[in-house]
Amino acid sequence: MKEDGGRVQVIRCKVKVVQKIIFTAAELGVFDLLRESGDVLTSATIAERLGTSHMGMERLLETCVGLKLLRVEKKDGEAFYGNTDISNLCLAKSSPKSLYPRMMYYSEVCFSNALYFPDAVREGKNQMEKIYATPPNDVFAGFYRSKEDMKKFLDTMNSVWAVNGNEVMSAFDLSCFPLICDIGGGGCALAKECVSLYPNSTVTIFDLPEVIETAKEHYVSSEEHRITFHEGDFFKDSVPEADLYVLSRILHDWGDEKCVHLLTSLYKACKPGGGVLIVEMLLNEDRSGPLEAHLQSMMMLLHTEGKERTLSEYNALLSAAGFKEIQFKKRSIYSAILGRK
């Protein structure tokens, strides 16, 4: 038993170290430099261009090779380093599909917040009051304490959809829904995917006034007329009429009662024949996995009132609100559930 406990501790420490090493390489600009150079470079060249010590950079690069994040070529006995395909695509800040904002958010915010996991488990509720000194029932007050904090949070969400947005928005043919409303979609990433995939559709983003202000300033140009905005609180205010409502990673923030309340409001506002598209990470029906969903559910316990759910649990929420003809498409990480009125 003692040996098993020690092994668990070693695994936990390894995971944390690996994550911090990836964050360090990304923050220092290693992946961007190699992506922009288009060629392999020596550790000395990389260290000089990024303003680091040669010894420290060499050790970091060797470790990234071991993690399969960099490749190495030997020329006349000297090591030359280059990006792997996954590093070019997801780890370089300059990539359109970069996960850099998400990595930095986890490094700077989520890791420190995770210290409150024991309290969250003991008490069975979020720890926002202890972490941010904000009311526990106003879960986004902590994330939106300042404009800078809000933008970091929205950038994190956008980086997720830069990688996964196309596959979830194309899971079903949504071309039959000309008027789409993205509930809580202030980062605009899914709205952009939607108008790109469905040229005859327009998207209205419904979100809090301060989020809309940030979205207009940073995410959508004034020339983009197919994306519009509507300010409001989706638990208190009427939503605009639409053919389809999109709830991407919204319901997992809330308990069942609030989810049914929101879905019922959308059902009443929905045009006949319209529907709601839920995009979430799903647990297996026997709750055996996937691990990513369990980890995300722990983050929901720490920060929100919600949880990750199984498909049958989401079906029950949709049915309770009145939606019928429920369809489901599983994708690589997130799944799409379409309920029709």
Side-chain angles (χ1 to χ4, degrees):
M1 182 66 70
K2 186 180 293 185
E3 182 180 345
D4 288 342
R7 190 178 294 116
V8 169
Q9 290 293 335
V10 169
I11 292 171
R12 186 181 296 129
C13 289
K14 281 184 178 179
V15 170
K16 288 184 177 180
V17 170
V18 167
Q19 289 170 327
K20 283 295 186 181
I21 287 170
I22 298 172
F23 297 157
T24 298
E27 186 173 351
L28 291 175
V30 171
F31 305 116
D32 282 279
L33 174 62
L34 292 173
R35 183 174 189 265
E36 291 159 9
S37 72
D39 199 2
V40 291
L41 301 173
T42 66
S43 57
T45 299
I46 296 170
E48 181 182 1
R49 293 188 186 178
L50 296 180
T52 73
S53 71
H54 181 203
M55 180 191 72
M57 180 55 68
E58 185 175 49
R59 198 166 298 181
L60 176 63
L61 296 172
E62 290 173 346
T63 305
C64 287
V65 171
L67 293 171
K68 312 297 184 186
L69 301 176
L70 295 179
R71 55 190 174 85
V72 62
E73 299 176 12
K74 295 286 186 171
K75 299 179 182 179
D76 298 324
E78 189 171 14
F80 287 76
Y81 297 90
N83 278 344
T84 59
D85 290 342
I86 192 68
S87 297
N88 272 329
L89 181 68
C90 295
L91 300 182
K93 288 177 278 188
S94 55
S95 168
K97 295 186 180 295
S98 176
L99 289 174
Y100 179 80
R102 181 175 173 83
M103 291 190 296
M104 289 300 101
Y105 199 81
Y106 268 77
S107 180
E108 297 170 4
V109 178
C110 294
F111 279 5
S112 59
N113 290 359
L115 295 173
Y116 292 88
F117 269 138
D119 288 341
V121 172
R122 288 191 195 100
E123 299 168 15
K125 63 181 183 179
N126 73 61
Q127 300 298 302
M128 298 301 275
E129 190 170 10
K130 294 177 183 176
I131 297 171
Y132 295 116
T134 56
N137 60 344
D138 189 359
V139 297
F140 285 92
F143 298 133
Y144 294 169
R145 289 173 299 169
S146 67
K147 287 187 176 182
E148 182 182 4
D149 287 337
M150 180 185 293
K151 187 173 185 302
K152 284 182 180 179
F153 181 86
L154 296 175
D155 285 346
T156 300
M157 296 299 103
N158 283 348
S159 69
V160 172
W161 298 130
V163 176
N164 303 109
N166 183 275
E167 66 172 7
V168 295
M169 294 309 292
S170 61
F172 300 99
D173 182 3
L174 304 179
S175 59
C176 59
F177 302 112
L179 186 58
I180 297 173
C181 181
D182 189 356
I183 302 293
C188 304
L190 275 190
K192 290 178 180 179
E193 287 288 350
C194 198
V195 296
S196 175
L197 284 166
Y198 307 105
N200 295 322
S201 296
T202 60
V203 179
T204 299
I205 294 173
F206 183 89
D207 217 320
L208 298 170
E210 58 269 29
V211 177
I212 296 297
E213 180 183 351
T214 299
K216 289 179 177 179
E217 183 177 352
H218 296 285
Y219 302 125
V220 175
S221 69
S222 57
E223 288 75 30
E224 179 52 84
H225 300 298
R226 294 173 57 208
I227 297 177
T228 59
F229 299 93
H230 191 107
E231 298 179 357
D233 181 327
F234 52 66
F235 285 126
K236 300 176 182 177
D237 302 315
S238 298
V239 298
E241 189 179 71
D243 301 301
L244 178 73
Y245 294 94
V246 178
L247 292 167
S248 59
R249 301 188 73 191
I250 298 296
L251 296 184
H252 76 160
D253 291 330
W254 311 101
D256 290 353
E257 186 176 344
K258 285 190 175 180
C259 288
V260 172
H261 172 80
L262 173 56
L263 288 169
T264 301
S265 297
L266 299 183
Y267 181 83
K268 291 177 180 178
C270 191
K271 293 181 177 180
V276 60
L277 179 71
I278 297 172
V279 179
E280 293 284 1
M281 192 181 294
L282 296 186
L283 285 166
N284 299 335
E285 288 299 325
D286 63 2
R287 311 188 77 82
S288 61
L291 176 60
E292 292 86 351
H294 284 300
L295 295 175
Q296 190 66 223
S297 202
M298 287 296 295
M299 296 304 291
M300 295 301 100
L301 173 63
L302 184 66
H303 292 125
T304 75
E305 300 175 10
K307 60 183 179 180
E308 303 307 316
R309 295 177 172 90
T310 64
L311 175 60
S312 61
E313 287 175 314
Y314 279 114
N315 286 345
L317 296 177
L318 284 164
S319 297
F323 287 99
K324 310 294 182 185
E325 301 179 42
I326 300 169
Q327 299 172 273
F328 159 70
K329 293 286 182 72
K330 182 175 177 56
R331 291 298 179 257
S332 59
I333 296 178
Y334 300 96
S335 296
I337 306 168
L338 179 64
R340 302 291 290 266
K341 182 173 180 177

